[in-house]
Amino acid sequence: DFTFNYINVPVLFVIKPFANFGILVGPQVGLNIYKSVSEGENTYSGSDFDDIFEGVGGKDAFKSLDLAAVLGVQYTFINHLTIGVRYNLGLTDMFSGTISDSGISAKVSGWKNNVAQVSIGWAF
């Protein structure tokens, strides 16, 4: 099991075809601040994580920067209460390396972060 934690900063534009309804669109930049892998009862993070994946590129195999395109909608109730739904489509590979097993090597790429979000908030 892999665990990745990111700090994400979306820059969203709101298109308002109706007074209380908005369409959200824009880019998002994410920075990986933590990564770990669990195998049975053992969990490896930090330099232990890098050591495990040394054969596939170590710490450089898993990228720290994540770019995404965001699309969503939101509706405002009672002047300030909002609910929304967003989808973040990953644009950059989060992993790029070569995996070898039993004399067979394969270049692996295409692992992207894709996230669906539901939100409730207070608009100012």
Side-chain angles (χ1 to χ4, degrees):
D1 291 331
F2 288 93
T3 300
F4 298 96
N5 294 337
Y6 288 85
I7 293 177
N8 292 315
V9 179
V11 179
L12 301 179
F13 299 94
V14 180
I15 302 165
K16 292 192 133 196
F18 308 105
N20 292 345
F21 179 77
I23 299 170
L24 309 169
V25 62
Q28 175 175 283
V29 176
L31 182 63
N32 182 282
I33 58 169
Y34 175 82
K35 56 190 171 207
S36 71
V37 62
S38 297
E39 189 175 38
E41 294 182 15
N42 300 319
T43 299
Y44 305 97
S45 62
S47 62
D48 292 336
F49 181 95
D50 295 339
D51 291 345
I52 288 173
F53 292 97
E54 177 132 10
V56 295
K59 65 180 180 181
D60 296 328
F62 291 88
K63 307 303 178 199
S64 296
L65 188 66
D66 183 48
L67 301 175
V70 180
L71 180 63
V73 294
Q74 75 179 22
Y75 187 81
T76 303
F77 297 93
I78 316 166
N79 295 332
H80 297 286
L81 179 65
T82 65
I83 68 165
V85 177
R86 291 186 204 166
Y87 186 75
N88 304 342
L89 176 66
L91 300 175
T92 54
D93 288 346
M94 63 178 281
F95 173 81
S96 181
T98 303
I99 296 176
S100 298
D101 188 22
S102 302
I104 300 171
S105 293
K107 180 144 176 73
V108 178
S109 64
W111 292 5
K112 295 179 178 11
N113 288 317
N114 295 307
V115 180
Q117 297 175 299
V118 176
S119 64
I120 297 175
W122 192 262
F124 296 96

